[in-house]
């Protein structure tokens, strides 16, 4: 018998991945959690029917969400990560010795538990001594924070379900406040390609532009996400995402990456014409 996992990317398009078996299926208070084993992509973490990561392509997403801001900010000591209970972003952050503290705020403890058991290659740094995990809503957590973090990484799900609050104006405003005066916020920014995703993308961009003095978007190719073309938001209180890149300094650290390079960093901010146009539409401040 053939077993396939399918995620609808639009009402008319689906991505199907052949699976060998289902390793885990469960329901937390917040969402359905599934883990599959597949011949092409290795293990796959699925929340409420949507692919969060696969072992084969997660390095692209996690390297891009972490190393881009880390190569810009001269001295990141304290980081807040919201979402990301799978630990992929933490694994990349753990490569930086200068980081002293990482606060991870994950709304669903089950995601952490399942990832620790079924996704050891992704969750391997969740025992890092610098890491403190809080199981609560990121939206509420940032409300209480002021002038505390050098970097905030928003590794959310799509803008519906448990992750919805992480795409609101209130949330971005609170992230701004929670950052130190030269802090950076990076968020997963959806895809510009299919209409519904593009709308979500524009809405998020508008709210970030209104909340931060510097706000740019960069891209990566992530095969298992809708359309394979994915965006990230770079918002900052001070630093420019390209002009403030210190290529030599980043290379000196000798951090091993498979996707990210400082050369790619610069190129990632060069967006296709139609994406620039989409974003420009919402950049005009009234
Ligand atoms: N978070 C973003 C996943 C978005 C994927 N969307 C989809 N498949 N429709 C990924 C979490 C990885 N740490």
């Amino acid at each position: 018998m053939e077993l396939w996992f399918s995620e609808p990317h639009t009402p008319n398009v689906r991505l199907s991945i052949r699976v060998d078996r289902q390793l885990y299926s469960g329901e937390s208070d917040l969402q359905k959690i599934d883990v599959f084993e597949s011949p092409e992509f290795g293990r796959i973490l699925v929340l409420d029917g949507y692919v969060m990561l696969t072992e084969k392509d997660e390095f692209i997403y996690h390297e891009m969400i972490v190393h881009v801001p880390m190569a810009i900010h001269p001295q990141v000591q304290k980081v807040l990560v919201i979402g990301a209970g799978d630990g992929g972003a933490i694994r990349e952050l753990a490569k930086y010795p200068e980081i002293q503290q990482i606060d991870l705020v994950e709304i669903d403890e089950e995601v952490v538990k399942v990832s620790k058991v079924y996704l050891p290659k992704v969750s391997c740094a969740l025992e890092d001594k610098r890491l403190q995990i809080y199981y609560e809503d990121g939206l509420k957590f940032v409300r209480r924070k002021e002038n505390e973090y050098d970097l905030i990484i928003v590794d959310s799900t799509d803008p519906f379900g448990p992750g919805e609050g992480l795409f609101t104006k209130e949330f971005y405003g609170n992230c701004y406040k929670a950052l130190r005066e030269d802090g950076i916020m990076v968020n997963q920014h959806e895809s510009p390609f299919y209409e519904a995703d593009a709308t979500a993308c524009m809405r998020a961009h508008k709210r970030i532009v209104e909340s931060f003095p510097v706000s740019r978007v960069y891209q990566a190719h992530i095969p298992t996400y809708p359309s394979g073309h994915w965006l990230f938001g770079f918002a900052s209180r001070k630093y420019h995402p390209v002009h403030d890149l210190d290529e030599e300094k980043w290379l000196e650290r000798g951090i091993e990456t498979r996707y990210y390079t400082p050369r790619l960093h610069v190129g990632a901010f060069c967006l296709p014409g139609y994406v620039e146009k989409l974003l420009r539409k919402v950049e005009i401040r009234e």
Side-chain angles (χ1 to χ4, degrees):
M1 191 184 69
E2 282 198 358
L3 221 55
W4 290 79
F5 163 79
S6 289
E7 177 186 324
H9 284 178
T10 81
N12 311 302
V13 177
R14 283 179 182 179
L15 173 74
S16 296
I17 302 174
R18 187 170 174 167
V19 300
D20 296 321
R21 62 203 169 108
Q22 179 149 23
L23 296 172
Y24 176 84
S25 184
E27 198 132 358
S28 73
D29 296 338
L30 295 157
Q31 57 202 345
K32 192 166 182 308
I33 305 173
D34 293 289
V35 181
F36 299 97
E37 176 87 56
S38 76
E40 196 65 53
F41 285 100
R43 295 187 174 185
I44 309 171
L45 172 67
V46 176
L47 298 182
D48 276 343
Y50 298 100
V51 172
M52 288 298 115
L53 63 86
T54 79
E55 282 183 329
K56 190 174 170 75
D57 68 354
E58 58 83 13
F59 71 101
I60 304 172
Y61 179 93
H62 291 125
E63 286 185 13
M64 289 302 276
I65 209 165
V66 168
H67 300 305
V68 169
M70 287 304 296
I72 295 293
H73 196 293
Q75 185 64 359
V76 174
Q77 294 182 333
K78 197 165 172 185
V79 187
L80 171 62
V81 183
I82 296 175
D86 52 73
I90 308 300
R91 180 194 63 207
E92 296 306 311
L93 285 167
K95 296 176 178 171
Y96 292 84
E98 70 264 39
I99 294 179
Q100 290 167 1
Q101 192 184 325
I102 307 170
D103 291 344
L104 169 60
V105 182
E106 165 61 58
I107 198 166
D108 194 345
E109 187 168 2
E110 284 306 304
V111 174
V112 174
K113 284 191 190 154
V114 168
S115 302
K116 279 188 174 168
V117 176
Y118 296 99
L119 299 162
K121 289 182 209 153
V122 182
S123 62
C124 52
L126 286 175
E127 306 298 333
D128 194 288
K129 288 200 174 58
R130 296 166 291 177
L131 178 70
Q132 171 79 48
I133 308 183
Y134 300 86
Y135 295 108
E136 60 175 283
D137 187 349
L139 180 65
K140 293 195 185 130
F141 187 90
V142 283
R143 273 187 200 139
R144 318 191 285 268
K145 300 289 171 182
E146 216 174 313
N147 191 24
E148 208 174 310
Y149 297 99
D150 302 302
L151 171 62
I152 298 178
I153 295 178
V154 188
D155 182 5
S156 63
T157 52
D158 295 317
F160 37 80
E164 207 172 332
L166 306 182
F167 287 84
T168 58
K169 182 100 209 294
E170 190 220 332
F171 174 70
Y172 298 132
N174 285 329
C175 283
Y176 178 90
K177 181 171 64 67
L179 286 169
R180 290 186 178 141
E181 78 207 359
D182 63 347
I184 297 172
M185 177 188 85
V186 168
N187 67 307
Q188 84 85 354
H189 211 297
E190 298 289 300
S191 168
F193 193 73
Y194 296 122
E195 203 179 328
D197 300 336
T199 306
C201 209
M202 285 162 76
R203 196 182 311 131
H205 186 60
K206 182 171 177 14
R207 291 170 181 169
I208 298 171
V209 168
E210 287 168 355
S211 310
F212 282 82
V214 183
S215 166
R216 294 293 146 98
V217 170
Y218 62 103
Q219 62 183 356
H221 170 236
I222 303 173
T224 56
Y225 286 173
S227 86
H229 182 198
W230 210 253
L231 301 179
F232 298 89
F234 177 102
S236 127
R237 296 185 58 153
K238 180 175 168 191
Y239 302 115
H240 186 278
V242 178
H243 304 156
D244 289 314
L245 171 65
D246 189 342
E247 183 166 346
E248 312 264 278
K249 187 177 164 217
W250 191 83
L251 289 170
E252 264 166 33
R253 290 187 179 102
I255 289 175
E256 245 180 74
T257 50
R258 286 162 65 206
Y259 191 87
Y260 178 85
T261 67
R263 259 162 64 82
L264 176 126
H265 179 131
V266 176
F269 285 89
C270 298
L271 301 172
Y274 87 92
V275 181
E276 274 188 353
K277 218 166 167 184
L278 277 181
L279 299 173
R280 219 174 291 134
K281 265 195 209 163
V282 296
E283 276 169 5
I284 306 137
R285 291 174 200 233
E286 277 103 63

